[in-house]
Amino acid sequence: NAGVTQTPKFQVLKTGQSMTLQCAQDMNHEYMSWYRQDPGMGLRLIHYSVGAGITDQGEVPNGYNVSRSTTEDFPLRLLSAAPSQTSVYFCASSMFLPGPTGGDTQYFGPGTRLTVL
Amino acid sequence: GQQVMQIPQYQHVQEGEDFTTYCNSSTTLSNIQWYKQRPGGHPVFLIQLVKSGEVKKQKRLTFQFGEAKKNSSLHITATQTTDVGTYFCAGLRVNDMRFGAGTRLTVKP
């Protein structure tokens, strides 16, 4: 199993450009999520999905779109990049959605380091 | 909204010393997870605590979940250079998972 893969590893954009960060997992996990990591702020949830065709907003969704057409893939789209979106982006997956009775191990991808000029 | 605070932000220890990081939530949590991130790496799941007052051990690591399910701690006994990294807690409350800012641990040999 490759686990969770992300592409690209690094990306530089100009303000206003759009792009898609790719995320794929081969563990047949239902739950997938996107986080951004900024210095001193930990990981903040952008969007998540509990299964194909179902997505929802996290803590910081503005400026990002997601879709989940298959179980394996969960791309994150930046509509019009801004310098405030400079960050490291992590995709994660787990077998099921964290809930009141517990969660499951979340597996993180290697991350995409994005710089917006 | 739910806030998860983690202290200290940084901790530098001599190899062999103990280390503790604390996580506090403004609301009662369903459960809490702990992760470790090595420099330049991605977060790696360590453990999950679900029950009030729960204590779990992994070799030199001891994890505790408070009686009120609002706080948690990670204690490392006799740190080693391999323990270097940032330790994050993540509090779960009904579909809402919030990470603390992390404690960055450095270990001097």
Side-chain angles (χ1 to χ4, degrees):
Chain A
N1 286 353
V4 180
T5 58
Q6 290 183 240
T7 57
K9 289 185 190 279
F10 302 93
Q11 183 71 50
V12 179
L13 293 177
K14 294 181 179 179
T15 297
Q17 287 184 314
S18 63
M19 79 157 294
T20 300
L21 307 185
Q22 301 292 343
C23 173
Q25 52 88 13
D26 60 359
M27 298 174 281
N28 202 32
H29 285 169
E30 292 295 328
Y31 181 74
M32 296 186 73
S33 54
W34 276 102
Y35 294 88
R36 59 177 291 172
Q37 185 173 35
D38 303 295
M41 299 189 72
L43 294 130
R44 290 182 292 169
L45 183 64
I46 303 171
H47 286 284
Y48 66 94
S49 169
V50 301
I54 306 170
T55 64
D56 207 345
Q57 296 181 349
E59 185 183 357
V60 288
N62 293 341
Y64 307 94
N65 272 356
V66 291
S67 60
R68 184 96 179 269
S69 56
T70 67
T71 299
E72 294 78 19
D73 300 297
F74 190 43
L76 177 73
R77 183 165 180 81
L78 280 69
L79 308 171
S80 177
S84 61
Q85 293 179 305
T86 294
S87 187
V88 180
Y89 291 85
F90 288 100
C91 178
S93 76
S94 62
M95 186 61 70
F96 54 87
L97 176 71
T101 57
D104 188 35
T105 300
Q106 280 207 94
Y107 296 88
F108 282 80
T112 294
R113 187 174 295 273
L114 175 68
T115 301
V116 183
L117 302 175
Chain B
Q2 175 186 329
Q3 299 292 331
V4 176
M5 308 300 293
Q6 194 173 350
I7 57 170
Q9 190 173 359
Y10 302 97
Q11 186 76 56
H12 179 72
V13 300
Q14 191 80 31
E15 189 173 20
E17 293 181 337
D18 291 356
F19 159 77
T20 305
T21 174
Y22 300 90
C23 192
N24 294 289
S25 170
S26 57
T27 58
T28 301
L29 300 171
S30 299
N31 48 78
I32 196 159
Q33 297 181 345
W34 284 92
Y35 292 80
K36 177 184 179 181
Q37 184 177 23
R38 293 183 184 275
H42 59 275
V44 174
F45 177 87
L46 293 176
I47 207 161
Q48 176 175 263
L49 304 172
V50 180
K51 299 177 183 176
S52 170
E54 190 170 15
V55 178
K56 287 188 176 180
K57 291 190 175 184
Q58 289 180 349
K59 297 182 180 178
R60 293 178 295 104
L61 278 62
T62 301
F63 304 84
Q64 294 188 353
F65 201 10
E67 293 291 339
K69 300 184 76 173
K70 285 188 173 182
N71 56 76
S72 181
S73 65
L74 158 59
H75 179 81
I76 302 178
T77 303
T79 55
Q80 300 175 358
T81 54
T82 54
D83 295 325
V84 164
T86 300
Y87 293 84
F88 293 97
C89 62
L92 282 71
R93 184 174 178 268
V94 190
N95 302 345
D96 188 338
M97 186 171 183
R98 298 291 174 103
F99 278 79
T103 296
R104 183 176 176 182
L105 173 65
T106 55
V107 180
K108 185 177 181 180

